[in-house]
C-alpha cells in the first residue's frame, strides 16, 4: 500500500510517500524556521500563510522525488491533531481534496501517535516500551503496547520542555530555535555553574509528570539563588546548566518509568530528542536501551504520518471527509487520547 | 478601581486565583500583564480551580488558545507569539472575546488599542524577589 503523508501541524510543511508503513520513497520537509526567527517563535498567521503557499510544491516534490506516478497512490494521510489550528487546516483541506479527486481513502492521524511511530520507519522495534516525546509543544512519557495502544504515564503540568528552551533562549538572546541554540552554546559552558531546581512531583497519579515553569523562572529571574558562587555568570554557563536541568527533569522520569514498568527500552521522538546531552545521558544508562530516530525523523515530518496510517488503514480505519482538525487533545487524561 | 496585593509564593498566587475564579461571571475578560516567570500561568491555574475546572491548566504558548469546558468554560489565550491585528484576526480573537466563557489573556500588553471597547479586568505582575510577587488589579473587587 502506497500512502501520501502530509504534516502541517506547526512550522514544518512536509509531504512524504511511504510504502507499506516502512519504505520511505520520499520525505520532503520545508522548514519555516527563517521566517519565524525574527519573532523567536512560531507565529501562527505566518505559519498558515506559508503552508498555503508551500503545500502544492511540497507535495509535487514528494511525488517527483519518490519517482512514482500520482495515480499509484492508494491513500492520503494527514495530521489532524494536535497543533496550530490554522496550520493543521491547510494540510487537512489539501489532503481531503487530493483524496476526493482521486477517489482514494483519506485518514486523519494523531501527531503524538505518529511521533511515537517514527523510529519504526528505520528499524524493527518490539513492544512494549517507554515512549518519550519531547518537543516545543509536547512533553510526554508513555507506556506503549502497540502503535495504537498506549497509556500516557506523565506529561507536563505547565510548560512544554521545548517551550522552556525557546523562552530561556529568547530571554538571553541565545538564538532560535532555542533547543538547537542552547545545545550548541552549552558545549562551551559549565553545566554545574548553576544548580537549577528540578521539581519533584511524587504524588499519586503525578509521579511521572514534569514541570518546567519553576525551572524557567529560576533561569530567568533567580540566577543568584542557584549560582555555585564560583563560575562566571556567562550565557554559556547559563545555557549548559539550564540544559542539564531541563533534560534531567524529563529523562529521569522516563528512566524511572522504564524501571518501574520492567521494560528495558526507551524510544524517543520529537524535536528535543535531537539534544546531544539527552542522547549522552541515555547512552549512559547501562540497563536501558535507548532508541532515537535519525535527526530527520525527530522533527515533524510526513513520513511518520504516512507510516503510521498504513497500520490504521490495514485495520480498516479511515476518516470521513468532514473530519475536523483540533488544536488540542486533553493530554492530561491518562488514557490518551 | 486599583488595588495592590502582595503574594509571597506560587501557592499564594494560586490561592488568590482560586478565590478570584470563584466570583467570575461567564463573560469576564481578564488581561494579564508582566514579565516571564512572574506567575501568569500559575494564577490561571488557580482561577481554573476556583471555577471548578478539574483538568490541569498548562501553558497555552504552543497552541495559542486552550479551552477548558465546564459550567463556565475557561478560554486561556497566550499572545506571546502573536504580532499585531492580523494575528489576532487569524485566531478569531474578537469573536472569542464576544462569546461566552471566562477569557484569560496572557501577554495582553500586545493588544494595544485592539482591546478598546471591551469591558476588561486587569492584573499586572511585578517581581519583588525570588518568590515574592506584587499584583496590581484594575476593575476587580475581591472581598
Amino acid at each position: 500500500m502506497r500512502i501520501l503523508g502530509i504534516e502541517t501541524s506547526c512550522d514544518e510543511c512536509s509531504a512524504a510517500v511511504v510504502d507499506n508503513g516502512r519504505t520511505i520513497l520520499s520525505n520532503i520537509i520545508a522548514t519555516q524556521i527563517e521566517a519565524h526567527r525574527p519573532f523567536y517563535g512560531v507565529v501562527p498567521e505566518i505559519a498558515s500563510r506559508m503552508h498555503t503557499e508551500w503545500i502544492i510544491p511540497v507535495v509535487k516534490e514528494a511525488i517527483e522525488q519518490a519517482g512514482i506516478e500520482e495515480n499509484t497512490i492508494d491513500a492520503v494521510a494527514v495530521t489532524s491533531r494536535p497543533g496550530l489550528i490554522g496550520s493543521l487546516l491547510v494540510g487537512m483541506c489539501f489532503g481531503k481534496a487530493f483524496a476526493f479527486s482521486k477517489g482514494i481513502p483519506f485518514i486523519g492521524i494523531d501527531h503524538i501517535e505518529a511521533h511515537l511511530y517514527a523510529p519504526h520507519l528505520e528499524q524493527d522495534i518490539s513492544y512494549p516500551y517507554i515512549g518519550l516525546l519531547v518537543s516545543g509543544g509536547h512533553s510526554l512519557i508513555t507506556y506503549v503496547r502497540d502503535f495504537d495502544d498506549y497509556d500516557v504515564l506523565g506529561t507536563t503540568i505547565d510548560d512544554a520542555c521545548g517551550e522552556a528552551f525557546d523562552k530561556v533562549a529568547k530571554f538571553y538572546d541565545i538564538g532560535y530555535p532555542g533547543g538547537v541554540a542552547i545545545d550548541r552554546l552549552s558545549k562551551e559552558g559549565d553545566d554545574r555553574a548553576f544548580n537549577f531546581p528540578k521539581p519533584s512531583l511524587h504524588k499519586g497519579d503525578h509521579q511521572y509528570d514534569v514541570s518546567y515553569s519553576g525551572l524557567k523562572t529560576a533561569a530567568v529571574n533567580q540566577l543568584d539563588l542557584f549560582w555555585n558562587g564560583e563560575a562566571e555568570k556567562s550565557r554559556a554557563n547559563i545555557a549548559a546548566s539550564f540544559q542539564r536541568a531541563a533534560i534531567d527533569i524529563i529523562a529521569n522520569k522516563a528512566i524511572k518509568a522504564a524501571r518501574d514498568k520492567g521494560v528495558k527500552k526507551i524510544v524517543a521522538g520529537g524535536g528535543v530528542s535531537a539534544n546531544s546531552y539527552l542522547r549522552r545521558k541515555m547512552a549512559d544508562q547501562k540497563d536501558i536501551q535507548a532508541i532515537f530516530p535519525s535527526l530527520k525523523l525527530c522533527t515533524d515530518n510526513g513520513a511518520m504520518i504516512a507510516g503510521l496510517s498504513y497500520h490504521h488503514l490495514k485495520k480498516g480505519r479511515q476518516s470521513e471527509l468532514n473530519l475536523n482538525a483540533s488544536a488540542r487533545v486533553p493530554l492530561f487524561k491518562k488514557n490518551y487520547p | 478601581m486599583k488595588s495592590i496585593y502582595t503574594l509571597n509564593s506560587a501557592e499564594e498566587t494560586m490561592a488568590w486565583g482560586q478565590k478570584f475564579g470563584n466570583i467570575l461571571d461567564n463573560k469576564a475578560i481578564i488581561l494579564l500583564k508582566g514579565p516571564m516567570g512572574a506567575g501568569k500561568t500559575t494564577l490561571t491555574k488557580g482561577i481554573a480551580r476556583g471555577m471548578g475546572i478539574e483538568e490541569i491548566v498548562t501553558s497555552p504558548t504552543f497552541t495559542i488558545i486552550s479551552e477548558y469546558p465546564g459550567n463556565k468554560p475557561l478560554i486561556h489565550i497566550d499572545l506571546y507569539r502573536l504580532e499585531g491585528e492580523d494575528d489576532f484576526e487569524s485566531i478569531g480573537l474578537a469573536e472569542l472575546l464576544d462569546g461566552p466563557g471566562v477569557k484569560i489573556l496572557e501577554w495582553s500588553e500586545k493588544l494595544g488599542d485592539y482591546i478598546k471597547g471591551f469591558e476588561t479586568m486587569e492584573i499586572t505582575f511585578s517581581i519583588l524577589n525570588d518568590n515574592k510577587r506584587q499584583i496590581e488589579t484594575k476593575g476587580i473587587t475581591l472581598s
Side-chain angles (χ1 to χ4, degrees):
Chain A
M1 195 187 312
R2 175 165 291 167
I3 300 167
L4 171 67
I6 294 171
E7 152 70 45
T8 61
S9 68
C10 189
D11 61 337
E12 324 284 358
C13 185
S14 179
V17 180
V18 177
D19 279 353
N20 301 321
R22 183 68 188 257
T23 312
I24 302 175
L25 301 182
S26 64
N27 188 19
I28 307 299
I29 304 170
T31 177
Q32 307 179 350
I33 286 174
E34 284 311 319
H36 298 286
R37 195 185 298 278
F39 307 100
Y40 268 90
V42 177
V43 181
E45 176 64 14
I46 296 178
S48 44
R49 280 186 198 174
M50 293 188 85
H51 284 308
T52 311
E53 285 171 26
W54 289 3
I55 185 75
I56 291 172
V58 164
V59 169
K60 273 189 177 158
E61 176 74 18
I63 290 169
E64 201 176 297
Q65 209 182 87
I68 59 153
E69 294 295 325
E70 213 171 273
N71 57 20
T72 61
I73 294 169
D74 298 308
V76 181
V78 184
T79 309
S80 60
R81 66 173 196 192
L84 301 173
I85 194 76
S87 295
L88 286 168
L89 284 171
V90 177
M92 288 276 283
C93 291
F94 181 89
K96 286 176 185 177
F98 190 95
F100 181 70
S101 69
K102 304 280 177 206
I104 54 178
F106 161 81
I107 185 168
I109 291 292
D110 183 300
H111 182 81
I112 307 279
E113 243 183 69
H115 266 299
L116 291 172
Y117 182 79
H120 292 262
L121 286 161
E122 296 175 317
Q123 53 183 299
D124 291 320
I125 303 167
S126 61
Y127 295 100
Y129 55 75
I130 296 297
L132 171 63
L133 176 57
V134 256
S135 68
H138 313 289
S139 318
L140 280 181
I141 295 168
T142 50
Y143 180 76
V144 187
R145 284 180 220 91
D146 207 340
F147 73 93
D148 59 350
D149 181 13
Y150 44 92
D151 295 333
V152 173
L153 300 176
T155 180
T156 179
I157 62 161
D158 38 52
D159 297 4
C161 178
E163 176 184 340
F165 271 91
D166 278 337
K167 286 187 169 171
V168 169
K170 178 176 181 174
F171 187 84
Y172 288 107
D173 198 18
I174 289 172
Y176 179 80
V180 179
I182 287 180
D183 196 357
R184 193 181 304 132
L185 187 60
S186 292
K187 296 193 167 68
E188 302 160 21
D190 171 6
D191 68 2
R192 306 276 161 178
F194 300 90
N195 198 13
F196 288 130
K198 293 167 201 165
S200 45
L201 303 157
H202 296 304
K203 282 177 278 176
D205 281 352
H206 292 305
Q207 59 172 328
Y208 303 111
D209 284 336
V210 295
S211 162
Y212 281 98
S213 157
L215 172 62
K216 176 189 73 186
T217 302
V220 166
N221 295 321
Q222 305 173 320
L223 281 186
D224 288 337
L225 193 62
F226 300 104
W227 184 41
N228 72 2
E230 293 165 14
E232 196 190 335
K233 290 182 195 167
S234 65
R235 290 193 313 162
N237 287 348
I238 295 168
S241 305
F242 166 81
Q243 171 171 278
R244 179 171 63 88
I247 296 295
D248 281 355
I249 285 173
I250 195 154
N252 290 346
K253 295 277 181 176
I255 293 163
K256 177 173 160 36
R259 292 188 180 137
D260 290 352
K261 298 282 173 190
V263 296
K264 302 240 168 281
K265 231 178 317 184
I266 295 177
V267 179
V272 182
S273 65
N275 183 274
S276 64
Y277 173 73
L278 174 65
R279 292 190 171 220
R280 278 201 309 281
K281 185 182 171 87
M282 284 302 186
D284 287 343
Q285 311 301 316
K286 296 303 169 214
D287 58 331
I288 288 167
Q289 180 197 7
I291 299 172
F292 287 90
S294 62
L295 291 183
K296 193 168 181 183
L297 292 181
C298 282
T299 169
D300 293 348
N301 68 87
M304 66 184 190
I305 305 299
L308 171 66
S309 73
Y310 166 75
H311 299 276
H312 281 296
L313 288 161
K314 222 171 55 175
K315 283 199 168 179
R317 298 169 188 151
Q318 69 179 76
S319 306
E320 299 294 329
L321 290 177
N322 62 3
L323 177 73
N324 238 328
S326 54
R328 201 170 132 264
V329 181
L331 285 177
F332 211 74
K333 291 185 182 149
K334 295 296 180 186
N335 289 318
Y336 189 85
Chain B
M1 196 194 77
K2 283 189 187 182
S3 312
I4 289 180
Y5 301 84
T6 306
L7 305 167
N8 291 301
S9 62
E11 290 70 34
E12 282 194 30
T13 303
M14 189 98 168
W16 192 94
Q18 197 167 344
K19 209 161 129 192
F20 180 44
N22 223 340
I23 59 157
L24 287 171
D25 67 30
N26 196 21
K27 56 178 179 31
I29 300 174
I30 302 151
L31 307 180
L32 303 184
K33 299 179 177 180
M36 194 188 298
K40 298 184 289 296
T41 301
T42 303
L43 182 79
T44 307
K45 281 170 177 281
I47 293 174
R49 196 186 277 174
M51 289 168 59
I53 287 167
E54 285 175 14
E55 209 182 324
I56 290 195
V57 169
T58 56
S59 163
T61 297
F62 180 71
T63 49
I64 314 293
I65 302 170
S66 297
E67 295 194 43
Y68 299 87
N71 282 343
K72 281 182 289 187
L74 169 65
I75 303 168
H76 188 193
I77 305 169
D78 191 336
L79 305 174
Y80 179 72
R81 293 193 303 196
L82 304 192
E83 297 292 334
E85 285 198 16
D86 283 354
D87 273 1
F88 304 151
E89 289 303 322
S90 80
I91 64 163
L93 189 58
E95 293 91 77
L96 278 174
L97 293 173
D98 267 332
V102 171
K103 279 78 65 176
I104 300 182
L105 290 91
E106 296 198 26
W107 296 95
S108 60
E109 295 92 330
K110 298 201 171 203
L111 284 169
D113 286 346
Y114 191 83
I115 196 70
K116 281 204 177 130
F118 290 98
E119 192 185 322
T120 60
M121 295 177 255
E122 242 180 76
I123 303 175
T124 305
F125 286 77
S126 15
I127 299 176
L128 298 181
N129 66 25
D130 291 341
N131 296 309
K132 215 167 166 177
R133 304 290 187 260
Q134 177 182 288
I135 54 173
E136 183 182 317
T137 64
K138 252 196 265 179
I140 298 170
T141 325
L142 265 193
S143 56

